[in-house]
Amino acid sequence: MSTALEQIGANRSFGGWHKRFRHASATLGCDMVFAVYLPPQAEHGPVPVLYWLSGLTCSDENFMQKAGAHRIAAELGVAIVAPDTSPRGADVPGDPDGAWDFGHGAGFYVNATAAPYDRHYRMYDYVVSELPALVEAHLPVTAVRGVAGHSMGGHGALICALKNPGRYRSVSAFAPISHPVDCPWGQKAFTGYLGADPAQWKAWDAVELIATAGERLPILVDQGEADGFLAEQLKPEALRAACAAAGHPLTLRLQPGYDHSYYFIASFIEDHLRHHAAALLR
């Protein structure tokens, strides 16, 4: 793993700093950019960190600019790290038809096993292992971690927590793709990254992982009832049923009138940050 971080941006925000960094990723075989919000408390010592995983078409910038999370993170003393959503670059294959729901901006937080994507698309290893090791080595944060995300990133947050008992103290999601083996977005991505055998997909599906999870970490999920992707792509009721069957603690809040946008995220991000802080700061 490369240990060099190149700072490419810095902005003062609510007494802390929003910074962007570039580094060479050995896991992904390309340069990657990520953002971090360091609250004012980080100037006096390391703080816990929430890893935020964004959705389809996003980069590190969307959440940091649109979610309105800095003010509450500054109050609570929690850092936020936002990676990109996929490897990128001229040598990184994307969707052959240029579609927005696969390839660049759509890494789905899995470790690809099918060519040609297996060389670069190892976003799971990147967000679980390489990026935290880099962040914890070079920035004033501790190894006390939470994970959250939106849509594709909500799927990512859930599987990262479910597959790694003890690694995270908290988990939450906005409108997650809860059951990707049973929705068009997930089926397309998993076929491309993992191959055509659906049996291989289940290891990357939150609904399939709940029953055998090695830790019953409480899950907070917010879902807009006016979300245009709700019925076909997101499947929150499948997540509810799986959690009920396994006795896994889930708070699933259906929010009337809210859609899939960052207006929805900004409306409830304070609740999620406080949910994480209760675990990260205990």
Side-chain angles (χ1 to χ4, degrees):
M1 182 187 73
S2 171
T3 58
L5 280 184
E6 176 192 359
Q7 183 172 304
I8 58 174
N11 303 93
R12 198 74 163 150
S13 181
F14 291 97
W17 286 95
H18 168 260
K19 297 184 177 184
R20 299 182 75 219
F21 295 94
R22 180 185 292 114
H23 73 104
S25 169
T27 300
L28 303 177
C30 65
D31 284 354
M32 290 294 287
V33 172
F34 70 90
V36 58
Y37 177 69
L38 295 170
Q41 295 86 341
E43 296 182 8
H44 307 288
V47 296
V49 58
L50 175 64
Y51 289 86
W52 173 270
L53 307 183
S54 290
L56 290 164
T57 75
C58 291
S59 70
D60 67 285
E61 296 182 280
N62 299 74
F63 177 80
M64 291 298 195
Q65 293 180 6
K66 298 179 180 179
H70 289 184
R71 178 179 63 84
I72 302 302
E75 173 192 326
L76 297 171
V78 173
I80 303 173
V81 170
D84 203 346
T85 52
S86 78
R88 298 181 194 261
D91 296 331
V92 177
D95 187 281
D97 299 318
W100 57 270
D101 56 355
F102 184 79
H104 298 169
F108 261 83
Y109 305 102
V110 302
N111 286 340
T113 55
Y117 303 101
D118 53 339
R119 179 183 172 193
H120 295 285
Y121 284 81
R122 303 186 62 83
M123 285 298 295
Y124 172 80
D125 280 353
Y126 178 71
V127 300
V128 170
S129 299
E130 184 181 21
L131 180 62
L134 191 66
V135 168
E136 290 161 17
H138 292 278
L139 297 172
V141 303
T142 69
V144 177
R145 312 174 193 94
V147 63
H150 171 229
S151 193
M152 177 186 71
H155 142 77
L158 293 176
I159 65 168
C160 287
L162 291 168
K163 290 166 74 72
N164 293 279
R167 186 162 183 81
Y168 303 98
R169 286 196 184 176
S170 55
V171 59
S172 76
F174 288 83
I177 303 173
S178 298
H179 198 17
V181 304
D182 190 36
C183 78
W185 280 342
Q187 290 164 355
K188 177 179 178 177
F190 287 1
T191 299
Y193 296 136
L194 305 172
D197 181 5
Q200 302 301 313
W201 304 349
K202 293 182 179 181
W204 306 101
D205 184 298
V207 168
E208 300 290 341
L209 291 169
I210 286 287
T212 57
E215 179 183 29
R216 296 300 174 196
L217 201 62
I219 299 171
L220 171 64
V221 171
D222 272 301
Q223 172 63 61
E225 289 188 334
D227 190 324
F229 304 116
L230 176 57
E232 184 178 32
Q233 304 284 9
L234 305 178
K235 312 284 186 178
E237 295 305 327
L239 181 65
R240 189 202 298 274
C243 287
H248 196 111
L250 169 69
T251 301
L252 172 59
R253 307 193 307 185
L254 300 177
Q255 304 291 0
Y258 285 88
D259 58 20
H260 201 69
S261 70
Y262 271 86
Y263 298 108
F264 163 55
I265 296 172
S267 298
F268 300 102
I269 192 62
E270 179 171 350
D271 292 352
H272 284 246
L273 289 174
R274 294 193 184 280
H275 163 80
H276 288 280
L280 298 177
L281 299 172
R282 68 171 182 257

